[in-house]
């Protein structure tokens, strides 16, 4: 099988690149008046609802199709259905096997139709089929385990991201809104400089 799952970018690196860094840029781009008027948690909830990758859900039921081929051979296709981003099937969690699961292909979700993790092989004897059965059982079990580990990591990094982004918004909000309040107060209670008809400056308290 050619496609190795859960063996590329780590969940942490993915979350940093696709969620945290993007959210940080958006935080720094929020207009000052909007930042001062909105609650920090409301801002973070809105950002993460757009950027969070969600969960990987793998259905444990194994589906099968078998098609006869010339020479007494049989092409067997088996698959598990999944929902969630296809990219989550490529990420490497903190816990993993020495050898990642290998499959034949991935079919991404399409509309209401679930995605598929497919393993297929042509067998020509009872011994071939027995080996294929063992291979499928091992790889599909690994995929189920990995899905759990991926979701555990997503939950962990999601909580960390929320805490960091919330502190970032609160810090920026405190600084900017305090400056805005000071400027407003100075306009209301500051010193006003006027010039008399004789050209002599007059100072008056506003």
């Amino acid at each position: 099988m050619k496609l190795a799952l859960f063996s590329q970018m780590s969940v942490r690196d993915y979350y940093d690149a696709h969620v945290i860094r993007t959210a940080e840029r958006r935080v720094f781009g929020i207009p000052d008046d909007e930042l001062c008027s909105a609650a920090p948690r409301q801002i973070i909830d809105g950002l993460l609802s757009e950027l969070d990758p969600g969960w990987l859900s793998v259905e444990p039921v194994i589906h099968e199709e078998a098609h006869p081929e010339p020479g007494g051979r049989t092409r067997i296709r088996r698959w598990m259905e999944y929902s969630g981003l296809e990219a989550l099937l490529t990420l490497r969690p903190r816990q993993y096997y020495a050898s990642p699961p290998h499959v034949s292909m991935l079919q991404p979700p399409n509309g209401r139709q679930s995605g598929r993790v497919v393993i297929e092989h042509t067998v020509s004897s009872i011994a071939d089929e027995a080996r294929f059965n063992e291979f499928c059982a091992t790889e599909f079990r690994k995929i189920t385990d990995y899905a759990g580990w991926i979701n555990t990591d997503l939950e962990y990094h999601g909580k960390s991201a929320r805490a960091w982004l919330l502190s970032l918004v609160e810090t920026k909000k405190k600084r900017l809104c305090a400056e805005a309040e000071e400027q407003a107060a100075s306009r209301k209670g500051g010193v006003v400089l006027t010039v008399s008809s004789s050209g002599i400056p007059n100072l008056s308290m506003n």
Side-chain angles (χ1 to χ4, degrees), residues 35 47 75 85 87 101 108 122 143 146 149 152 157 167 181-182 185:
L35 185 69
L47 287 175
R75 187 72 176 175
L85 293 179
T122 298
I143 292 168
Y146 267 98
W149 297 335
T152 296
H157 292 298
S167 68
E181 290 176 358
E182 290 176 359

Side-chain angles (χ1 to χ4, degrees), residues 97-181:
Y97 289 110
S99 176
H102 288 73
V103 300
S104 302
M105 70 179 73
L106 290 178
Q107 296 177 345
N110 183 12
R112 295 184 178 181
Q113 184 176 354
S114 299
R116 292 181 176 184
V117 182
V118 181
I119 298 177
E120 62 181 7
H121 186 61
T122 298
V123 300
S124 58
S125 66
I126 295 177
D128 281 351
E129 186 171 353
R131 286 191 292 269
F132 181 61
N133 291 342
E134 183 178 355
F135 177 83
C136 287
T138 299
E139 302 309 285
F140 283 137
R141 185 183 69 249
K142 286 182 181 180
I143 292 168
T144 302
D145 291 343
Y146 267 98
W149 297 335
I150 288 289
N151 288 333
T152 296
D153 279 16
L154 288 171
E155 182 179 12
Y156 173 80
H157 292 298
K159 289 180 179 179
S160 297
R162 180 175 293 276
W164 160 243
L165 293 170
L166 184 60
S167 68
L168 187 66
V169 169
E170 289 175 339
T171 300
K172 184 180 180 184
K173 181 182 176 75
K174 182 178 180 180
R175 176 176 57 83
L176 287 178
C177 299
E179 291 176 355
E181 290 176 358

Side-chain angles (χ1 to χ4, degrees), residues 9 14 30 60 68 72 78 86 150 193:
M9 180 184 291
Y14 178 89
I30 298 174
R78 292 178 182 153
E86 184 180 0
I150 288 289
L193 178 65

Side-chain angles (χ1 to χ4, degrees), residues 54-123:
W55 299 92
L56 176 62
S57 178
V58 175
E59 173 59 49
V61 176
I62 309 300
H63 304 268
E64 179 180 311
E65 291 177 349
H67 301 281
E69 293 189 346
R73 299 183 301 172
T74 303
R75 187 72 176 175
I76 302 176
R77 168 177 286 196
R78 292 178 182 153
W79 69 90
M80 299 175 71
E81 296 186 344
Y82 76 93
S83 59
L85 293 179
E86 184 180 0
L88 298 180
L89 290 162
T90 70
L91 302 183
R92 186 181 69 255
R94 291 174 294 175
Q95 181 177 354
Y96 55 88
Y97 289 110
S99 176
H102 288 73
V103 300
S104 302
M105 70 179 73
L106 290 178
Q107 296 177 345
N110 183 12
R112 295 184 178 181
Q113 184 176 354
S114 299
R116 292 181 176 184
V117 182
V118 181
I119 298 177
E120 62 181 7
H121 186 61
T122 298
V123 300

Side-chain angles (χ1 to χ4, degrees), residues 192-203:
V192 177
L193 178 65
T194 60
V195 179
S196 67
S197 59
S198 62
I200 301 175
N202 294 323
L203 294 177

